[in-house]
């Protein structure tokens, strides 16, 4: 079917994926640029102290959302009254969680044996309310496949984070400079979402009955998110207490590098839940959409995973400086996260759209158990060992979620896994060749910045060439999919950039 004959939803999703990709790439570029600058202004121990102090905010962030995003996106029919109810719920939970975080901040300082960390934790407590304030307008934008407002809000918040934190760090505020940046970014993001979203709640329409209806669906999402965030919370606690704030800072920077790659490759995934929800009642169409989404995700996300495996350490050294070399090795250990998170995300959105969010807690519970066990087992190997444990744990979760989602939509997990094997094989071959070339011959990380980036760029181009040659050689179906991505997404992306 040619582009002109595509159903309206397909055209909307494809164009939306292009716009979403533009926005997510812009956000990640700005965020990474900010952290490049911040890495030159602060030591790993400062970032580790901030990460430790943020543990309650990280814990409470998913509770402020309370599963309302998924409930609103999937809800059929008129939405204003439900959105007003969700807004009131989010505001109330944001206030209560901020007060709870403030009350618990002395315990955070005592756990990490640092009075300053406790003070910073107290100062950060208000972020929970700002995060809660952005939930409903963001959910409505996603529900209506409205991307342009979001394309402004997220990059703007990332830019403000870098500017505010950078100025504060340059003024000598230390970890408090990161607090200033966090508040400035959260405030700009929440305000932008409301101003650009074009919607205001009528609280008179809110009702207890509507909240209970939303909560019945959202409770499974909340449970799964709680289990998912358990891994992050436990990781911060164990690394910060067991290894210290400097290793925690190294780990968080490695995680940030990999998360940036995962966000870019999953940019179009923002549209999956609303798109899947609209076709969930059409079994064949839903199954085909699930299978194709997995193929596209694998073809785009897997090479990014192997990118970090091959180039994590030299990238960190060239971007952040020699002191951050360990964060690059952490990124190498975490490289599987990009691919496994993408597969797990498609599966999770499929289960939400199919009305089976009850499966999600089992998925994230498995991930939490495996990851925490491996984290403790690999802790003696430092932040790199922790990263490896997280990659393995996420792999187990992604595989389980894929199997369950395939069963729900009437597909075959075996068929999907065979499709994933092509990008996995091609990506691993590209990674092995480029990693060997860098380690034994070119040594990009040990060069001057200009020469190092030049060598790194050439190595990446070589890896991309190997990948793009091997994928069509291994699978004709994958070759067709690659051409479809090129023919449908790139022209729209070009048009979006010129608009």
């Amino acid at each position: 079917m040619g582009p002109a004959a595509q159903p309206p939803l397909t055209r909307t999703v494809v164009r939306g994926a292009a716009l979403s990709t533009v926005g997510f790439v812009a956000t990640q570029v700005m965020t990474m640029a900010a952290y490049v600058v911040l890495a030159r202004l602060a030591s790993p121990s400062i970032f580790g102290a901030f990460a430790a102090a943020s543990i309650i905010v990280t814990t409470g962030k998913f509770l402020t959302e309370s599963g309302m995003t998924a409930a609103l996106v999937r809800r059929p029919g008129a939405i204003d009254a439900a959105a007003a109810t969700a807004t009131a719920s989010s505001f109330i939970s944001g206030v209560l969680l901020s007060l709870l975080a403030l009350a618990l901040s002395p315990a955070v300082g005592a756990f990490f044996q640092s009075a300053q960390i406790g003070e910073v934790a107290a100062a950060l407590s208000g972020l929970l309310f700002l995060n809660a304030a952005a939930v409903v307008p963001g959910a409505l934008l996603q529900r209506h496949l409205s991307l342009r407002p979001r394309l402004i809000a997220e990059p703007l918040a990332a830019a403000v984070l870098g500017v505010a934190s950078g100025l504060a760090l340059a003024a000598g505020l230390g970890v408090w400079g990161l607090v200033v940046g966090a508040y400035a970014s959260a405030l700009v993001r929440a305000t932008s979402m409301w101003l650009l979203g074009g919607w205001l709640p009528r609280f008179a329409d809110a009702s207890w009955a509507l909240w209970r209806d939303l909560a019945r669906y959202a409770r499974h999402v909340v449970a799964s998110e709680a289990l998912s965030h358990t891994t992050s919370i436990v990781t911060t606690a164990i690394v910060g207490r067991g290894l210290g704030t400097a290793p925690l800072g190294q780990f968080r920077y490695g995680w940030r590098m990999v998360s940036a790659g995962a966000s870019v490759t999953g940019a179009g995934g923002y549209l999956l839940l609303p798109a899947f929800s609209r076709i969930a009642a059409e079994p064949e169409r839903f199954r085909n959409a699930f299978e194709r989404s997995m193929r596209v995700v694998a073809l785009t996300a897997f090479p990014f995973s192997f990118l970090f495996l091959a180039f994590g350490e030299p990238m960190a050294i060239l971007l952040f400086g020699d002191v951050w070399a360990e964060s690059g090795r952490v990124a190498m250990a975490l490289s599987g996260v990009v691919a496994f998170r993408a597969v797990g995300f498609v599966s999770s959105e499929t289960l939400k759209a199919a009305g089976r969010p009850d499966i999600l807690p089992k998925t994230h519970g498995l991930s939490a158990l495996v990851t925490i066990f491996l984290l403790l087992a690999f802790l003696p190997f430092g932040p790199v060992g922790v990263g490896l444990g997280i990659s393995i744990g996420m792999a187990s979760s992604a595989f389980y979620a894929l199997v369950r989602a395939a069963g729900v939509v009437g597909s075959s997990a075996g068929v999907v896994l065979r499709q994933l094997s092509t990008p996995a094989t091609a990506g691993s071959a590209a990674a092995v060749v480029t990693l060997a070339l860098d380690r034994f011959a070119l040594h990009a990380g040990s060069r001057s910045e200009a020469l190092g980036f030049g060598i790194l760029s050439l190595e990446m181009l070589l890896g991309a060439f190997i990948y793009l040659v091997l994928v069509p050689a291994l699978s004709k179906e994958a070759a067709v999919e690659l051409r479809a991505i090129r023919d449908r997404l790139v022209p729209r992306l070009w048009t979006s950039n010129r608009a």
Side-chain angles (χ1 to χ4, degrees):
M1 180 182 294
Q6 292 176 25
L9 179 59
T10 301
R11 289 198 300 271
T12 300
V13 171
V14 173
R15 178 170 175 79
L19 287 170
S20 185
T21 299
V22 172
F24 273 87
V25 169
T27 300
Q28 295 308 318
V29 167
M30 290 184 181
T31 301
M32 188 54 64
Y35 276 90
V36 168
V37 174
L38 299 182
R40 309 284 178 154
L41 295 172
S43 66
S45 60
I46 288 178
F47 285 97
F50 181 80
S54 303
I55 191 168
I56 294 182
V57 173
T58 302
T59 305
K61 187 176 180 180
F62 76 90
L63 290 174
T64 61
E65 196 267 351
S66 301
M68 288 297 171
T69 295
L72 289 174
V73 169
R74 188 179 179 275
R75 188 176 182 83
I79 195 67
D80 283 351
T85 301
T87 301
S89 171
S90 296
F91 282 1
I92 292 171
S93 65
V95 170
L96 294 177
L97 287 169
S98 290
L99 293 174
L100 180 61
L102 180 63
L104 292 175
S105 58
V108 174
F111 179 82
F112 289 106
Q113 299 178 324
S114 169
Q116 185 186 51
I117 288 177
E119 293 166 359
V120 175
L124 290 171
S125 59
L127 287 177
L128 290 169
F129 176 77
L130 291 177
N131 291 334
V135 168
V136 173
L140 294 179
L141 292 172
Q142 184 178 0
R143 171 187 171 87
H144 298 301
L145 301 175
S146 177
L147 292 163
R148 291 187 185 277
R150 192 177 180 93
L151 300 185
I152 297 172
E154 299 289 0
L156 181 61
V160 168
L161 171 68
V163 172
S165 296
L167 291 175
L169 285 171
L173 293 183
V175 69
W176 293 102
L178 299 179
V179 175
V180 171
Y183 267 101
S185 178
L187 180 60
V188 166
R189 181 178 181 274
T191 303
S192 299
M193 286 289 190
W194 280 102
L195 290 177
L196 299 173
W199 176 85
L200 290 175
R202 284 172 44 89
F203 289 113
D205 295 336
S207 71
W208 180 252
L210 274 173
W211 182 86
R212 285 186 298 178
D213 189 39
L214 291 169
R216 274 195 294 270
Y217 177 89
R219 70 182 189 275
H220 298 296
V221 179
V222 173
S224 68
E225 289 296 317
L227 292 168
S228 177
H229 280 76
T230 296
T231 302
S232 174
I233 296 161
V234 171
T235 299
T236 300
I238 291 178
V239 175
R241 179 63 185 269
L243 299 178
T245 54
L248 177 58
Q250 296 279 8
F251 174 82
R252 290 298 292 267
Y253 248 70
W255 177 263
R256 189 168 298 280
M257 289 174 64
V258 172
S259 295
S263 296
V264 170
T265 60
Y270 171 76
L271 303 167
L272 283 183
L273 180 56
F276 280 179
S277 296
R278 297 183 186 190
I279 61 174
E282 305 173 54
E284 183 176 356
R285 193 178 177 197
F286 193 15
R287 182 182 67 252
N288 290 337
F290 165 75
E291 292 176 352
R292 187 172 189 199
S293 296
M294 278 294 182
R295 291 197 301 270
V296 172
V297 157
L299 287 168
T300 55
F302 279 41
F304 271 83
S305 265
F306 295 112
L307 169 75
F308 287 108
L309 177 61
F311 305 120
E313 186 174 4
M315 275 197 296
I317 293 172
L318 292 170
L319 286 171
F320 310 132
D322 291 339
V323 70
W324 292 97
E326 189 171 28
S327 71
R329 293 189 288 272
V330 170
M332 295 174 72
L334 287 168
S335 59
V337 166
V338 180
F340 300 138
R341 178 187 279 183
V343 171
F345 180 75
V346 173
S347 301
S348 296
E349 300 307 279
T350 300
L351 291 170
K352 291 176 188 176
R356 293 300 309 275
D358 55 295
I359 296 175
L360 296 178
K362 301 173 185 176
T363 300
H364 293 300
L366 173 65
S367 177
L369 288 174
V370 173
T371 302
I372 292 172
F373 172 78
L374 292 174
L375 188 155
L376 293 171
F378 293 168
L379 186 63
F381 299 99
V384 176
V386 171
L388 182 60
I390 290 175
S391 283
I392 297 172
M394 195 165 287
S396 66
S397 171
F399 176 76
Y400 178 77
L402 184 153
V403 171
R404 295 302 304 270
V408 166
V409 301
S411 181
S412 166
V415 169
V416 177
L417 288 171
R418 282 194 295 274
Q419 294 172 343
L420 301 187
S421 66
T422 294
T425 302
S428 60
V432 168
V433 172
T434 51
L435 178 61
L437 181 63
D438 186 79
R439 287 300 175 91
F440 298 115
L442 299 180
H443 310 290
S446 63
R447 311 286 185 171
S448 66
E449 289 186 2
L451 180 58
F453 278 121
I455 293 173
L456 202 59
S457 298
L458 291 175
E459 291 174 340
M460 289 180 181
L461 286 174
L462 174 62
F465 175 77
I466 294 171
Y467 180 78
L468 293 174
V469 168
L470 286 179
V471 166
L474 293 171
S475 169
K476 292 182 179 179
E477 185 178 36
V480 171
E481 204 66 71
L482 278 178
R483 286 195 295 271
I485 294 171
R486 180 198 64 193
D487 295 341
R488 293 183 177 180
L489 186 58
V490 173
R492 289 173 171 81
L493 191 58
W494 173 251
T495 302
S496 301
N497 281 323
R498 295 182 62 186

